[in-house]
Structures are given as C-alpha cells and as structure tokens.
Amino acid sequence: MEVMLMSSKIKITALFAATVLIVSSAGCKHDSGKEESSVPAVSDNSGSSQSTEEVLPENQRVTEKFEDTKLGKYVWGDEFNTDTLDLSKWIIESHSSSGRDKLTFEQGDENLSKVFKIQNGAASLIFQRWYDQTNTLIQYAGPAELMTRPTMSWQYGYLEVRLRMSFRKDGNAIWMASGDALNSNKDAYCGLEVDVFETLASTDSVTPNIHLWYKDGRHTDMNGYVYNGKPIKYTFANSYNLAKEFHVYGFEWTPSEMAMYVDGEKYWTLDTTKSFDDDPDISVYNQPIYLMLATGAFTPLNTWHTYAGDEIDNTSLPLDYSVDYVRLYQDSSVKGTQLNIAK
C-alpha cells in the first residue's frame, strides 16, 4: 500500500512539472513592434551546435522606450517598425552630387534595395564598393538622402534622431534646408541650412553648423565664419565601441536660439536674435525647413574635401548608417510654430 501511494505521488509530481513547463513555454512568446537586436544582426561563427543569443548592451540595440520631452509634445516621427518605407513621410532622392566616382540610388531605382534596408526596427543606409561596366570611373554607391522635402516641413520645436554610424571616415549628416520646403517663401532672398551634425571623415566626433545661402551668391556659415575654420564640435569620450553604439542627436529651435545635443547634453548654441554675419536681417533664421538623413564618404573624385587624407579606406567598406527612430516635438504655444504635412 505504501509503495502504491509513493508511485501515485511520483506520477502527480511529474504531471504537475510537465504542465508548468508547457505553461512557461507558452508565456515566452514576445510580440512587439521592435526586436531588441543589433542592426544588422550579429552572427555566431563559433561552430557550436547550440544556438545562443547574445544580449547586447542597451546602447547597441534599437529601443522601445518612448516619452514626451520637456521641450514639447510629440507631433511627428517614424520608429521604422515595418519592413517598408512609409512614403507618406519620406522619399529617397538626391539633393546634390558630390563625386564622379559614385552612384546614388533614388526611390524607384532597382538597385536601391542593395543600399537601403529597413530591418530589426531600424532603417539602414549603406555606402559600399560598386562596379559599373558601363562607366569605369564608378567605384562606390549608396542611397540618396532620406528626406521629407515633399512630405513635411517644420519651424520651432525639438528634433531627436537616434542612430548608429560606422565612424570610419564616413561623410554622414543630419541636416535641413528651407529651399522648396512645404510652406516656404519661394521669393526669400536667403536660404537657411541647419546641420545638426556632419561627421566630416572623423572617427570620433560630429560637427554642427548653420549655413546661409544668399540669392546674390554669397554664402556664410556659423562655424567657419565665426570661428575662422576651427569649428566647435562634439567629441565622444570613448570611441572604442562607437561603431556599434546608437546615440541620440538633438536639435532645439526657438524664436531666439538654435541648439545642438548629443545624448541629452547641450553642447552648441546660436543666438538667433542677432546675425552672425554682416547681414542684419534675422528673419532668415525663422523659416520652415525639411529634414534629410545622409550617408557617404570622401572618395578620390569627390568635388570637395574636408582635410588632407580624408579619403575613405576601401577596406573599411561597407559603411552603415542605421536610424532607430526620428521624433519631432513641438510646443504649440510658441508663436510662429509650424508643422506642415503634405495632403
């Protein structure tokens, strides 16, 4: 009798354990907009038959965190949670040409998918080696700018972009321009360009700038004009894993100031209540602009160079520019605030 009771207890315990295992397995399913993985995915070449997933540091993964900032309410953006580009927000189109030895693929080009992808919750712009049998000068290719010129423009607020870059002499940028922006003044005598940053072939820093393009041919820029070619820039304290890390780049714009941020640190400002060049008209700082995200490199046939020796080392290609999210915040109580969306 004692043996039979013991046997029954063993069976009941085994049945309970199996039930818990089944329930636990069912509870492991995870369905969210973004996978917490690096972009592109890291492969395991160890040869082990066991599949293990590496848990990457938070700053090397796309994020699901979302909150309104102290600088306004969320009004526009993209989390890149789907595999296709949202054409109501973006277009991939060339703004300008910068070299005879590289191709830029635009929206609708059959080769665009080779240099632009949306995967694992991020949009990846890729600059790589390219060979064209019809043109022996061509050595490189990448996507044209990811831009909002025909879809969205804005004035005043806080723009935030979380992205990862290779930092191997890249020619990357987050920049904006007023020319042909929605609701822009077509007769404006001066165009505004805001560079949240350019990498300028640096391996550890980003450089912001403000450009003014006058219709009479004059051109001035804040970092060059005021600082005589020695611009203020943001240098990362630790660049060892910079190519693997996502960082948050911000641009704050009010009627009296423009300011640049990296990872929440405000490091560069421009007082827009007075002109930085010889033209006294400060209205040029107050006109709607559209957004552009761009990748590239300084190649041998580039039309301009930032310093001697800035040319890309081909062994470092491809270069990756991966955008986790773009978020725009505005305070509607600020006079002159605009958000213009194409209908």
Side-chain angles (χ1 to χ4, degrees):
M1 184 69 166
E2 186 175 340
V3 173
M4 288 178 65
L5 285 172
M6 183 64 71
S7 176
S8 298
K9 288 179 180 179
I10 292 171
K11 289 179 179 179
I12 292 170
T13 301
L15 180 61
F16 176 77
T19 303
V20 170
L21 181 60
I22 291 170
V23 171
S24 298
S25 298
C28 287
K29 291 181 179 178
H30 177 67
D31 183 15
S32 65
K34 288 194 175 183
E35 300 173 12
E36 290 194 346
S37 60
S38 176
V39 185
V42 177
S43 60
D44 181 5
N45 298 319
S46 63
S48 171
S49 58
Q50 262 190 324
S51 176
T52 59
E53 185 177 344
E54 180 185 4
V55 179
L56 296 171
E58 186 175 357
N59 68 350
Q60 294 183 25
R61 296 176 289 171
V62 295
T63 183
E64 293 180 346
K65 293 180 180 178
F66 187 92
E67 58 184 11
D68 282 345
T69 72
K70 295 179 181 179
L71 303 175
K73 294 293 183 181
Y74 176 79
V75 295
W76 184 92
D78 201 337
E79 302 295 305
F80 300 105
N81 283 336
T82 62
D83 293 336
T84 56
L85 186 64
D86 187 342
L87 297 181
S88 70
K89 296 179 178 180
W90 305 99
I91 188 171
I92 300 178
E93 188 172 284
S94 293
H95 181 274
S96 59
S97 176
S98 60
R100 294 179 294 131
D101 54 354
K102 51 191 170 187
L103 297 174
T104 52
F105 299 126
E106 298 183 316
Q107 198 74 42
D109 195 298
E110 62 180 0
N111 289 310
L112 180 61
S113 62
K114 298 176 182 177
V115 294
F116 178 81
K117 304 176 187 296
I118 299 180
Q119 58 185 5
N120 298 331
S124 293
L125 290 74
I126 304 159
F127 186 82
Q128 63 187 32
R129 290 283 275 165
W130 193 273
Y131 300 97
D132 188 334
Q133 294 181 349
T134 65
N135 185 349
T136 56
L137 283 179
I138 298 299
Q139 298 292 319
Y140 309 92
E145 284 88 349
L146 180 61
M147 67 165 68
T148 69
R149 181 167 56 199
T151 60
M152 186 277 291
S153 72
W154 64 292
Q155 180 173 302
Y156 305 150
Y158 177 70
L159 178 76
E160 189 171 83
V161 181
R162 187 174 189 260
L163 61 85
R164 183 187 63 200
M165 299 178 286
S166 300
F167 279 100
R168 294 193 295 267
K169 289 190 174 182
D170 312 36
N172 300 331
I174 298 175
W175 63 299
M176 287 159 282
S178 61
D180 295 325
L182 294 178
N183 202 36
S184 63
N185 178 6
K186 308 303 180 185
D187 297 321
Y189 81 103
C190 181
L192 172 67
E193 176 187 329
V194 177
D195 299 335
V196 178
F197 75 75
E198 294 175 281
T199 51
L200 299 176
S202 173
T203 58
D204 65 358
S205 66
V206 293
T207 303
N209 212 340
I210 305 295
H211 295 260
L212 299 179
W213 299 91
Y214 294 93
K215 278 193 172 180
D216 62 10
R218 287 179 297 145
H219 165 238
T220 58
D221 66 282
M222 169 64 174
N223 255 335
Y225 191 89
V226 176
Y227 299 110
N228 298 316
K230 296 180 180 179
I232 293 175
K233 58 186 177 180
Y234 182 93
T235 301
F236 290 90
N238 184 353
S239 60
Y240 181 75
N241 281 322
L242 200 51
K244 298 179 181 179
E245 297 170 350
F246 286 90
H247 290 274
V248 179
Y249 302 91
F251 168 55
E252 181 184 7
W253 185 12
T254 71
S256 61
E257 183 181 86
M258 292 180 174
M260 308 304 181
Y261 294 74
V262 172
D263 294 331
E265 178 186 343
K266 184 178 182 178
Y267 74 97
W268 191 92
T269 60
L270 171 65
D271 181 357
T272 58
T273 63
K274 55 187 178 183
S275 178
F276 70 77
D277 64 10
D278 298 328
D279 194 302
D281 187 356
I282 61 172
S283 66
V284 296
Y285 306 117
N286 305 288
Q287 49 187 318
I289 53 179
Y290 63 92
L291 172 63
M292 289 175 280
L293 307 177
T295 188
F298 293 89
T299 60
L301 297 183
N302 228 64
T303 52
W304 70 280
H305 290 269
T306 183
Y307 64 86
D310 66 0
E311 292 181 10
I312 189 67
D313 178 355
N314 291 338
T315 62
S316 68
L317 297 175
L319 303 178
D320 177 59
Y321 177 109
S322 290
V323 188
D324 179 10
Y325 63 72
V326 177
R327 297 171 183 171
L328 176 61
Y329 303 84
Q330 290 183 315
D331 181 351
S332 60
S333 68
V334 175
K335 186 177 180 180
T337 297
Q338 293 185 36
L339 178 64
N340 305 297
I341 305 293
K343 296 179 180 179

